[in-house]
Amino acid sequence: MTLGQRISQYRKGLGISQEELGGRLGVSRQAVSKWETDAAAPDMNNLMALAREFGVSVAELTETPEAPAPAPLEAAPGPEAAALSAISPARPRRFFWPVVCAVLAAALAAALLAAALQKPHTVVTDPGILEPEIPDTDFALVWANRDGRTEFLELGEQEGLFPFGTSLELTAPEEVLDTDFGAVKYHTAVCGAVTVEYDRIDVADLLWETITGLSTIASSVRTPRDIAPGSTQDDVLAAYGDELVYCLKEADSYSLVRHDYYYVFSDFVSDRTMSGYYAVLFFMENGKVAGISVEALGELGDWYAPDQVSRFPVVDGEPDFSQREEPEQEELSDTQRVYIAWNQLVTNNNLSAEEEYGYRRDVFSLLPDMDWGEFRAMGNAVQPDDTLFSFMWWLANQESYSSSEILWIQLGCTAKGLDGAYSESYCGILSSAFFYNPVTFAKALSTDGGDAEVKWSAMMGTAYDAELYPVELQTALDALDAAMDSGAFTDAEAGWAQLLRLYLTTPIDSLSELPKTPAEMA
């Protein structure tokens, strides 16, 4: 069992949703979903928080039982196969319990019907026996096998068991998730260029499997209308036209690949086990299809119908924004903006460089205006400090800081609610910024218009924590000395650099006796 499966099992044992677990931990529902599907792994802070919520040790939570190693399998052909296995984790399920209940009810009826008709379910053991036909619907993926023969898989109930009469072979261990209904198990099978998601249902002496999702990033795989990764926007519009819905890039939900926007074609389909809307998603990047996902939406209905907010009808090949409605805007405090931006940075792996820059700017530029008590209240209701200290840990462990970020860190050291243990932890953020670039840190102190008390607090906090790291401190002092000797500072900057150095080389017990500004040093 994978770590994600154990997290899912413990959560369900508590009888709580992904959203509620995320609320307790101070992370988004999407983050919990990615953990449970092994699309991402929780960091140590979140592992400890998870273990505490589940009432187990971290070792017990992360322990992997021994299991026989799967036999090596030959990868499917095509240069894209390895890439797909590497970047295409299992996506969250959209097949929910009301549908499962309906499936089980249908299974009992189907068992009686099968017995009456004396047509037991057939398991295909030789993929070469069945010659593929044309898919019945648009909700399929088509490709050519090693022999050049056309194969396809289509959403819905299958005639046989995996690999459903095709030549597909696993290129990664198959993921299997148990459900609260022992008769149903969720499977995710990465088969080189194609990833297949299917449910295995075993009830009333009847065994069958239903495909609920297909996805690809390989140019060798196409839809029944001949659209494949690499096809242009014009190709997509020519094939599907005004049947498409144009969708803005979602802010924080799962996606197959990086993209700028996406098109969706959906329709209602009904078979013995699944009645509802199916959809084909075309993820578009730089005007070309970057990936294709085929989904069974279950009880979500026509999830991708135009809503005039983020999804719009296509008219004459163009998105129709004429009825566009602005989403309701909640008045956010500066603290809430920091919390939202930080969560995007740590949970959303689909951010563009521009989006990442914007969220990072929000986090650092609003540090001086934060209310740390308000931030604490946004986290885990049982252990509210966990979220706050996780945020501080993130601030202190950045690979780099810009000159503006260093200034904002200094200005944020006296923000509302930053006292006691919180203040001590913030000292670690100050020293991290100082160690990263001592010269820029000293220059930031000399910025015109800054509050003298804030600058004094920043020097005090930096010195308080920096003494715990003598090697790093000496390296930083050497950098300051070299900059002063080389004339890298203006007169004003040199004064603050000298005062900062004085604070860093004075015993902690004597810091309060030092001058607060360069002018007081004369």
Side-chain angles (χ1 to χ4, degrees), residues 153-216:
L153 285 178
E154 189 169 15
L155 296 186
E157 181 188 354
Q158 303 300 300
E159 287 297 322
L161 303 183
F162 178 82
F164 313 118
T166 72
S167 59
L168 290 180
E169 297 177 352
L170 291 170
T171 54
E174 187 171 9
E175 296 182 12
V176 181
L177 295 179
D178 292 328
T179 70
D180 292 340
F181 291 90
V184 181
K185 295 183 184 296
Y186 295 154
H187 291 245
T188 300
V190 178
C191 305
V194 179
T195 295
V196 184
E197 297 178 27
Y198 65 94
D199 301 331
R200 169 171 284 197
I201 300 125
D202 186 358
V203 62
D205 296 324
L206 186 67
L207 172 66
W208 82 90
E209 294 176 345
T210 298
I211 295 180
T212 59
L214 298 164
S215 57
T216 186

Side-chain angles (χ1 to χ4, degrees), residues 93-262:
R93 289 277 173 172
R94 288 198 169 98
F95 188 57
F96 300 98
W97 293 121
V99 177
V100 173
C101 294
V103 166
L104 294 178
L108 295 175
L112 297 175
L113 178 62
L117 298 177
Q118 295 184 342
K119 291 184 178 179
H121 190 72
T122 302
V123 176
V124 178
T125 57
D126 183 358
I129 291 177
L130 297 179
E131 187 66 30
E133 301 176 356
I134 298 174
D136 291 330
T137 71
D138 280 293
F139 307 102
L141 290 179
V142 184
W143 64 93
N145 64 15
R146 293 181 179 87
D147 300 326
R149 183 168 59 88
T150 298
E151 298 182 339
F152 71 86
L153 285 178
E154 189 169 15
L155 296 186
E157 181 188 354
Q158 303 300 300
E159 287 297 322
L161 303 183
F162 178 82
F164 313 118
T166 72
S167 59
L168 290 180
E169 297 177 352
L170 291 170
T171 54
E174 187 171 9
E175 296 182 12
V176 181
L177 295 179
D178 292 328
T179 70
D180 292 340
F181 291 90
V184 181
K185 295 183 184 296
Y186 295 154
H187 291 245
T188 300
V190 178
C191 305
V194 179
T195 295
V196 184
E197 297 178 27
Y198 65 94
D199 301 331
R200 169 171 284 197
I201 300 125
D202 186 358
V203 62
D205 296 324
L206 186 67
L207 172 66
W208 82 90
E209 294 176 345
T210 298
I211 295 180
T212 59
L214 298 164
S215 57
T216 186
I217 63 169
S219 60
S220 58
V221 182
R222 64 187 189 277
T223 69
R225 300 197 193 187
D226 208 29
I227 299 300
S231 296
T232 67
Q233 174 176 283
D234 289 342
D235 295 333
V236 177
L237 291 171
Y240 294 87
D242 291 355
E243 297 176 275
L244 293 170
V245 172
Y246 174 88
C247 304
L248 300 177
K249 178 180 177 181
E250 61 277 335
D252 56 5
S253 62
Y254 170 86
S255 62
L256 177 66
V257 288
R258 295 178 70 94
H259 60 280
D260 305 317
Y261 56 93
Y262 59 108

Side-chain angles (χ1 to χ4, degrees), residues 193-466:
V194 179
T195 295
V196 184
E197 297 178 27
Y198 65 94
D199 301 331
R200 169 171 284 197
I201 300 125
D202 186 358
V203 62
D205 296 324
L206 186 67
L207 172 66
W208 82 90
E209 294 176 345
T210 298
I211 295 180
T212 59
L214 298 164
S215 57
T216 186
I217 63 169
S219 60
S220 58
V221 182
R222 64 187 189 277
T223 69
R225 300 197 193 187
D226 208 29
I227 299 300
S231 296
T232 67
Q233 174 176 283
D234 289 342
D235 295 333
V236 177
L237 291 171
Y240 294 87
D242 291 355
E243 297 176 275
L244 293 170
V245 172
Y246 174 88
C247 304
L248 300 177
K249 178 180 177 181
E250 61 277 335
D252 56 5
S253 62
Y254 170 86
S255 62
L256 177 66
V257 288
R258 295 178 70 94
H259 60 280
D260 305 317
Y261 56 93
Y262 59 108
Y263 290 111
V264 175
F265 167 80
S266 64
D267 198 4
F268 186 86
V269 176
S270 178
D271 65 22
R272 184 167 63 89
T273 62
M274 296 178 65
S275 293
Y277 278 88
Y278 290 175
V280 185
L281 283 65
F282 301 99
F283 296 97
M284 308 297 298
E285 185 176 37
N286 299 323
K288 293 186 176 182
V289 177
I292 300 174
S293 179
V294 187
E295 303 179 350
L297 301 180
E299 81 276 18
L300 286 177
D302 192 6
W303 173 258
Y304 294 107
D307 63 3
Q308 307 300 338
V309 175
S310 59
R311 304 185 298 274
F312 303 90
V314 173
V315 178
D316 296 330
E318 295 290 338
D320 180 10
F321 298 121
S322 62
Q323 304 299 316
R324 183 168 188 165
E325 298 177 6
E326 292 299 324
E328 294 184 8
Q329 297 293 326
E330 178 185 359
E331 189 68 28
L332 299 177
S333 68
D334 291 331
T335 305
Q336 289 173 316
R337 290 173 61 192
V338 171
Y339 183 84
I340 292 170
W342 173 57
N343 272 275
Q344 286 292 327
L345 289 168
V346 299
T347 65
N348 190 348
N349 61 0
N350 191 37
L351 295 176
S352 66
E354 292 79 6
E355 290 169 326
E356 184 172 350
Y357 170 82
Y359 285 128
R360 190 176 176 94
R361 180 193 57 216
D362 284 350
V363 168
F364 284 92
S365 66
L366 294 173
L367 286 176
D369 303 309
M370 273 188 59
D371 181 336
W372 287 85
E374 181 184 352
F375 191 96
R376 179 180 184 271
M378 295 177 184
N380 184 337
V382 179
Q383 297 289 337
D385 285 336
D386 288 356
T387 298
L388 187 146
F389 286 123
S390 292
F391 176 54
M392 286 189 164
W393 182 91
W394 182 87
L395 287 170
N397 287 274
Q398 294 302 294
E399 294 182 359
S400 64
Y401 301 94
S402 68
S403 56
S404 296
E405 289 171 349
I406 290 175
L407 174 61
W408 288 325
I409 287 173
Q410 291 177 355
L411 297 178
C413 69
T414 57
K416 183 179 179 180
L418 197 56
D419 51 24
Y422 305 156
S423 180
E424 290 185 13
S425 293
Y426 200 88
C427 291
I429 301 170
L430 286 164
S431 67
S432 292
F434 169 68
F435 289 148
Y436 174 73
N437 195 328
V439 176
T440 298
F441 193 93
K443 289 184 175 183
L445 289 171
S446 70
T447 303
D448 291 338
D451 187 283
E453 286 296 318
V454 174
K455 296 180 180 182
W456 172 74
S457 296
M459 290 189 295
M460 288 282 287
T462 304
Y464 180 85
D465 192 79

Side-chain angles (χ1 to χ4, degrees), residues 18-55:
Q18 291 180 341
E19 184 173 5
E20 183 175 351
L21 178 58
R24 294 186 183 185
L25 301 179
V27 301
S28 67
R29 180 195 61 76
Q30 288 82 4
V32 176
S33 176
K34 289 180 181 179
W35 295 344
E36 293 190 353
T37 57
D38 295 306
D43 60 24
M44 182 52 67
N45 285 337
N46 283 321
L47 277 175
M48 291 188 292
L50 284 166
R52 182 165 50 248
E53 289 294 333
F54 298 149

